[in-house]
Amino acid sequence: MWIQVGKIFMDGFQFIINCGATVMLPIIITIVGLIFGLKITTAFKSGLTLGIGFAGIKLVLDFMTTNIGPAAKAMVERTHVHLDALDVGWGSIAAITWASPIIAILIFVILAINIILLILKATHTLDVDIWNYHHMAIVGIMVYFVTKNVFLGVGAAAVMAVLTFKMSDWSQPMVEKFFQMPGVSLPTVSALSSLVIAVPLNWLLDKIPLFRKSKFSIRDAQKYLGFFGDSMIMGLLIGLAIGALAGYDLQRVLQLGVSMSAVLVLIPKMTAMFMEGLMPISESAQKWSQKKFKGRKLFIGLDAAVIVGNPDVITTALIIIPLTIAMAIVLPGNRVLPFADLAVVPFRVAMVVALTNGNLLKNIIIGLVVTASLLWCGSATSPVLTAIAKSVGIKLTTGGSLLISSFASTAMIQSFIVYFAFTFHPIISIPILLIVIAGIWYYFDKVKHINKDTEDEEKALKES
């Protein structure tokens, strides 16, 4: 009897998977919403909104690859610049992530880890930003896709979760000091990941007087920027440039420019539907968590979107964006053609700005090194990402010659390191990764914390 019940359950589960992401997403999100106490009508509406958002992103992505795919191929043939991995944007990667058959498992694992770490007082970050769980989950999905091992996939997502919550704790003082946001941490991998490179590089630059004493100000840079920072204009200019390099006639160049401008406007709107659908889930998760952890010192983990409007962040990003495009052409080993994620460069540099306390010259140097890592890691993992996209029903209409990439997923250095450890001789590399994480954890929680307490005591004595 139980065997028959199990078979019926598995057949039903397989049927849902075979229906595709647009059907599977509403069902998964409805179940998650019910667990957090939402009414079934609200939970189902949230799930259906996500399904519609995914369908919209599929349409925009198909439109983009249809238009830019042939142009990119022609550009490669004429210029001999081998950029065959199109940056389709983090929103498309998020859609791919939420469409994975193991996404429900990974979301519950990430949430459970946050709760366990809070119970053990190993973190002070209460991550209510359910939407951005996709940054952690995609690593597990890619590991699972490569290894076909669910345990390795779940393990990779779990390591990403632990790293993210701890990095949120460690970086919280910077968020409070520079952005004036007390009690808030930012467990958004797309912002935190840059610190893996930025922290040691900032220490090195501090040893060089030119960078440490630089007075190059935000006002000096802002006078040259502004109009060209608009995503609509950015898409137009990139489309025109690619069309010209592809050897198109004027009519087709203009058509490509307007098409790419439309893509950079439409992708955020479709992505916004994802956030709209997950908002009730996030709010109910926050209420549930606050009931369970009364009387505790907690940092509320929010989306890094709350800081990217800072003038220092925006100015740094607008300088980095054109330099990123130029770097993509000349960087050895790069295959990524930057496009959709140029609009979210502010996320990649936001924590860098806080770390350097707004030193613009250091921001630019560190930002370019971070960008180079995004291009290299994105190039290395683009074949896997492309295969996963096809497996969840996103069909690339470019004759199969174009890969997809992004400045999200495993293009980010933190995500790439975990992905690499879980896919390259995991028996050896996973223990090494865990030992390194334990060492960093000990340093920031014990050594640095003790040093900070000593400095605070000395400062108090001097003041008294």
Side-chain angles (χ1 to χ4, degrees):
M1 173 185 168
W2 291 111
I3 295 175
Q4 188 176 4
V5 171
K7 185 177 183 304
I8 293 172
F9 175 80
M10 289 304 298
D11 288 345
F13 185 67
Q14 189 62 48
F15 173 79
I16 293 172
I17 291 176
N18 292 340
C19 287
T22 50
V23 173
M24 186 172 66
L25 268 174
I27 295 173
I28 291 175
I29 298 303
T30 300
I31 294 171
V32 172
L34 292 174
I35 290 172
F36 283 124
L38 285 178
K39 293 180 181 179
I40 188 168
T41 51
T42 304
F44 178 71
K45 188 176 180 180
S46 293
L48 187 59
T49 302
L50 256 76
I52 294 169
F54 179 75
I57 285 179
K58 282 179 66 177
L59 291 172
V60 176
L61 185 57
D62 182 65
F63 173 75
M64 178 167 61
T65 54
T66 299
N67 282 276
I68 204 170
K73 185 177 179 182
M75 182 185 70
V76 168
E77 291 173 352
R78 291 185 78 246
T79 63
H80 304 291
V81 175
H82 191 62
L83 302 179
D84 61 343
L86 175 64
D87 161 26
V88 296
W90 69 272
S92 301
I93 304 307
I96 292 168
T97 304
W98 285 97
S100 169
I102 66 168
I103 185 62
I105 299 172
L106 299 183
I107 295 302
F108 283 119
V109 166
I110 294 168
L111 179 61
I113 287 172
N114 193 192
I115 294 170
I116 291 169
L117 290 178
L118 285 167
I119 292 172
L120 297 175
K121 297 183 178 180
T123 185
H124 298 296
T125 292
L126 171 60
D127 188 0
V128 299
D129 185 21
I130 304 293
W131 161 250
N132 277 315
Y133 279 17
H134 73 85
H135 286 304
M136 296 173 264
I138 186 61
V139 181
I141 289 166
M142 291 184 70
V143 168
Y144 168 69
F145 188 85
V146 171
T147 64
K148 309 303 179 187
N149 188 313
V150 175
F151 295 104
L152 284 176
V154 171
V159 170
M160 281 294 299
V162 171
L163 273 173
T164 301
F165 299 139
K166 290 307 297 180
M167 288 175 70
S168 299
D169 287 347
W170 298 329
S171 60
Q172 195 279 332
M174 292 191 301
V175 174
E176 183 166 337
K177 179 183 176 183
F178 188 82
F179 296 111
Q180 298 296 304
M181 300 186 70
V184 170
S185 64
L186 305 174
T188 309
V189 179
S190 59
L192 285 176
S193 180
S194 300
L195 291 176
V196 176
I197 291 172
V199 170
L201 187 53
N202 182 60
W203 175 86
L204 180 62
L205 292 176
D206 272 340
K207 306 300 179 184
I208 305 172
L210 171 66
F211 295 102
R212 185 176 64 249
K213 298 178 181 179
S214 170
K215 300 296 183 182
F216 187 51
S217 70
I218 293 298
R219 290 175 185 171
D220 293 331
Q222 281 180 334
K223 67 177 74 171
Y224 303 109
L225 302 169
F227 174 76
F228 296 103
D230 190 293
S231 59
M232 184 186 302
I233 303 302
M234 197 186 308
L236 175 66
L237 294 176
I238 293 171
L240 293 175
I242 292 174
L245 290 172
Y248 283 4
D249 58 35
L250 181 59
Q251 183 180 18
R252 294 176 69 192
V253 167
L254 294 173
Q255 288 173 343
L256 185 62
V258 174
S259 295
M260 293 306 97
S261 180
V263 166
L264 285 196
V265 171
L266 291 174
I267 279 186
K269 293 185 182 300
M270 293 299 101
T271 303
M273 294 202 69
F274 269 84
M275 300 182 74
E276 179 186 340
L278 279 172
M279 189 60 69
I281 308 292
S282 180
E283 290 174 352
S284 60
Q286 183 174 358
K287 291 176 183 177
W288 179 87
S289 301
Q290 288 173 341
K291 288 180 182 177
K292 300 296 181 182
F293 298 100
K294 286 183 178 179
R296 278 280 304 279
K297 175 191 175 184
L298 293 178
F299 302 138
I300 301 300
L302 301 179
D303 190 330
V306 297
I307 63 170
V308 297
N310 178 276
D312 294 71
V313 174
I314 292 297
T315 303
T316 301
L318 291 178
I319 295 171
I320 293 292
I321 286 169
L323 295 176
T324 296
I325 298 171
M327 185 191 299
I329 297 172
V330 300
L331 190 67
N334 174 52
R335 301 176 65 180
V336 177
L337 176 62
F339 181 61
D341 266 344
L342 291 173
V344 294
V345 167
F347 283 83
R348 306 304 182 266
V349 301
M351 295 305 294
V352 174
V353 171
L355 176 68
T356 66
N357 200 32
N359 185 316
L360 188 56
L361 189 56
K362 286 167 69 176
N363 292 344
I364 294 169
I365 299 298
I366 297 173
L368 288 175
V369 176
V370 168
T371 301
S373 74
L374 291 169
L375 294 172
W376 273 325
C377 296
S379 297
T381 55
S382 58
V384 175
L385 196 59
T386 304
I388 293 175
K390 291 179 179 177
S391 74
V392 298
I394 293 178
K395 302 184 186 301
L396 304 177
T397 56
T398 56
S401 61
L402 191 71
L403 300 174
I404 65 169
S405 187
S406 169
F407 285 0
S409 66
T410 44
M412 298 181 290
I413 190 67
Q414 174 192 341
S415 305
F416 180 80
I417 290 171
V418 175
Y419 167 80
F420 184 81
F422 276 80
T423 54
F424 182 78
H425 300 303
I427 295 177
I428 299 172
S429 54
I430 291 176
I432 293 174
L433 175 66
L434 295 179
I435 291 170
V436 171
I437 291 172
I440 295 172
W441 190 325
Y442 178 79
Y443 173 76
F444 279 100
D445 270 16
K446 302 295 182 182
V447 178
K448 191 170 183 180
H449 182 69
I450 292 171
N451 291 339
K452 184 179 184 301
D453 289 344
T454 303
E455 289 174 1
D456 290 343
E457 288 175 6
E458 291 176 352
K459 184 179 179 181
L461 284 172
K462 288 178 180 179
E463 289 176 352
S464 63

